[in-house]
Amino acid sequence: MERGIFEEEHEIFRDSVIRFGETELMPHVAAWREAGIVDREAFRKAGEHGLCLMWADERYGGMGVGDFRFEQIVIEELIHHGDPGFGLTLHSRLVGPYIGMLGNDEQKARFLPGCVSGETILGIAMSEPGAGSDVAGIRTRAEDRGDHYVLNGSKTYISNGINGDLFVVAARTVPDNPHGVGLFLVERGMEGFTRGRNLKKLGLKAQDTAELFFDNVRVPKENVLGDPHKGFYYLMQFLAEERLIVACGCVAAAEAAFRTTLDYVRERHAFGRPIAHFQNTRFKLADMRTRIDVAQTFVDRCVMDHNAGRLTPEVAAEAKVFCSELEGYVTDEGLQLHGGAGFMDEYPISRMYANARVSRIYAGSSEIMREIIARGLGLDPRAQAAPRTELKRA
Ligand SMILES: Cc1cc2nc3c(=O)[nH]c(=O)nc-3n(C[C@H](O)[C@H](O)[C@H](O)COP(=O)(O)OP(=O)(O)OC[C@H]3O[C@@H](n4cnc5c(N)ncnc54)[C@H](O)[C@@H]3O)c2cc1C
């Protein structure tokens, strides 16, 4: 189905991102998967191509692009012509905005230029060994010591965890209030800040995912983002966009799985004919195509609503749960249609199948998405809404 949200400038931009992927990413992805980490140079190259923090103001080296469609294009083409393990969108659009929207002028001037050039790689550290879905359960604590805070605790499953130079770390600032959390900018090299090994994973093999440890890390107050007691509410506000980002990636991944499966069933023969000629194959592909088109239309509408400032957390959650489950369905059916080949590393569908599994877990699991949607229906046993704060981007 033809998509109706892009204009000529978007298509020109898409072509440039495809070229970037073909020349700067695709030749390296096999090596990155093998190494379990993307070369830092990839972020720098993305910076050179103007793909890092495109939304940032020109005074920080950015392009001041507020239109989310450009980011959507980057998300899609990094899947088609790169690797979903390359944490560029996480850097640019998931973590960068915390500095852009919560940071003061001094923080923006200090950090954003390096993030825009791709020299400073970003990560976000919310999850802990004992607190993932339950953000209010985080135990990493930050003690106020006058001109600085002292951080103690640990985080886990942190993307860009090894490559990262600057992390937005959520830590408890008010011991007896589950929502009393602050956001701290922890820099590579700060004393007491260490990282664990690069964790081995089922999928996203090129992504470095690590534990982070904080042992009496002295964080100057200049590195506190916004109000040190409102971090929980800030996180909740950024999560809606994070879910849209994941949804965009999931539909693109489903599309990629569909295309590779379509190619395969045309070429593979059984019982004297292409397997594409079996009714089962044709019906499966027809179902996949239909569901992908429906999901894409919904996500595109969410993107336009997001541009207009109208995307609600509930609808972002609908997009995330629907598209991540779609990705799981398409990669699973696609693998089945590959037969034994689908189980082999050399066929892209096997990788897509493994990568898809985490989409239903990170950035809020499917169960948490359903909780959010249900609360929007007034089915909230806690009957307690988070106060909203208006945020402005750099
Ligand atoms: C590859 C990868 C990268 C990640 N990157 C980051 C990162 O960069 N930064 C970061 O902070 N975190 C990151 N995470 C962590 C991720 O966000 C968490 O894994 C996720 O939020 C789930 O938390 P958990 O693993 O603690 O699972 P749990 O919260 O322990 O959940 C276990 C199960 O219980 C279910 N469950 C929990 N609460 C409820 C409920 N109220 N109702 C119904 N069911 C419930 C869940 O849906 C799940 O099925 C990453 C994770 C992975 C796997």
Side-chain angles (χ1 to χ4, degrees):
M1 185 180 175
E2 200 174 317
R3 296 167 69 185
I5 64 165
F6 299 113
E7 290 156 29
E8 197 188 345
E9 56 176 336
H10 297 107
E11 297 305 346
I12 294 168
F13 177 71
R14 186 184 291 280
D15 288 343
S16 78
V17 181
I18 292 173
R19 278 198 303 280
F20 170 76
E22 285 173 344
T23 54
E24 304 294 354
L25 305 181
M26 287 174 78
H28 307 291
V29 289
W32 294 339
R33 283 180 202 133
E34 196 61 38
I37 189 165
V38 168
D39 195 329
R40 293 178 61 88
E41 186 64 6
F43 286 89
R44 226 186 40 73
K45 291 273 184 196
E48 264 173 27
H49 281 75
L51 299 180
C52 292
L53 285 80
M54 290 185 289
W55 49 266
D57 195 278
E58 284 170 16
R59 87 190 98 146
Y60 305 119
M63 294 189 294
V65 176
D67 180 351
F68 189 84
R69 285 174 290 183
F70 287 97
E71 200 68 47
Q72 183 185 19
I73 288 167
V74 174
I75 297 167
E76 291 173 358
E77 297 311 330
L78 289 189
I79 285 173
H80 294 302
H81 301 93
D83 188 275
F86 178 30
L88 179 65
T89 310
L90 177 98
H91 165 83
S92 284
R93 192 76 199 204
L94 222 136
V95 192
Y98 281 88
I99 304 173
M101 291 165 84
L102 298 173
N104 56 37
D105 288 346
E106 185 275 326
Q107 289 169 330
K108 288 190 249 190
R110 189 153 50 107
F111 294 117
L112 288 181
C115 303
V116 171
S117 70
E119 306 282 343
T120 307
I121 299 172
L122 297 170
I124 183 155
M126 286 186 274
S127 305
E128 300 187 355
S133 305
D134 181 12
V135 182
I138 65 176
R139 295 177 63 173
T140 295
R141 58 191 192 282
E143 240 177 85
D144 191 340
R145 298 273 178 87
D147 65 342
H148 66 279
Y149 278 87
V150 171
L151 256 65
N152 277 290
S154 66
K155 299 287 177 179
T156 195
Y157 309 146
I158 305 307
S159 308
N160 290 346
I162 302 290
N163 267 335
D165 302 294
L166 184 63
F167 292 90
V168 173
V169 177
R172 180 162 305 291
T173 46
V174 190
D176 48 357
N177 176 357
H179 293 173
V181 166
L183 300 181
F184 300 86
L185 289 165
V186 175
E187 300 173 57
R188 179 187 285 279
M190 280 183 165
E191 209 178 327
F193 169 41
T194 53
R195 12 192 143 205
R197 69 204 155 83
N198 193 357
L199 299 165
K200 297 268 184 218
K201 303 188 293 296
L202 171 69
L204 296 184
K205 297 286 191 188
Q207 187 203 77
D208 50 319
T209 311
E211 288 170 289
L212 307 180
F213 302 102
F214 310 94
D215 181 12
N216 287 315
V217 181
R218 191 178 189 281
V219 181
K221 287 220 165 142
E222 294 77 52
N223 281 29
V224 177
L225 277 175
D227 184 327
H229 303 131
K230 288 202 176 139
F232 183 83
Y233 303 114
Y234 297 147
L235 289 171
M236 294 305 115
Q237 285 196 293
F238 282 93
L239 288 176
E241 180 168 301
E242 179 173 337
R243 283 156 193 164
L244 177 62
I245 289 168
V246 174
C248 290
C250 291
V251 193
E255 179 69 42
F258 173 81
R259 288 184 201 168
T260 196
T261 303
L262 187 59
D263 288 345
Y264 184 82
V265 299
R266 282 180 170 141
E267 290 193 357
R268 175 75 180 169
H269 282 65
F271 297 95
R273 49 184 158 149
I275 58 170
H277 288 187
F278 298 125
Q279 188 190 55
N280 175 66
T281 308
R282 289 183 294 115
F283 281 14
K284 293 271 186 206
L285 283 157
D287 274 348
M288 288 184 210
R289 184 67 268 158
T290 307
R291 292 193 206 180
I292 294 169
D293 281 345
V294 170
Q296 188 68 75
T297 308
F298 181 60
V299 164
D300 286 349
R301 165 70 193 270
C302 288
V303 165
M304 297 311 281
D305 280 359
H306 187 49
N307 270 348
R310 283 197 302 261
L311 183 69
T312 64
E314 292 80 11
V315 175
E318 289 175 26
K320 204 259 170 185
V321 68
F322 190 83
C323 297
S324 60
E325 296 196 350
L326 171 84
E327 183 191 2
Y329 153 77
V330 175
T331 53
D332 186 46
E333 293 285 19
L335 191 152
Q336 184 68 18
L337 288 171
H338 278 70
F343 201 65
M344 300 297 138
D345 277 352
E346 63 200 272
Y347 286 86
I349 192 71
S350 71
R351 226 167 23 242
M352 293 171 176
Y353 173 82
N355 290 342
R357 196 59 192 88
V358 79
S359 301
R360 282 176 269 165
I361 296 168
Y362 67 8
S365 66
S366 289
E367 292 74 26
I368 296 301
M369 293 306 100
R370 292 188 169 94
E371 270 294 332
I372 293 169
I373 299 161
R375 278 177 216 159
L377 302 173
L379 306 174
D380 183 358
R382 306 163 317 154
Q384 181 190 333
R388 300 188 75 79
T389 320
E390 286 306 310
L391 300 175
K392 274 209 183 69
R393 178 161 285 152

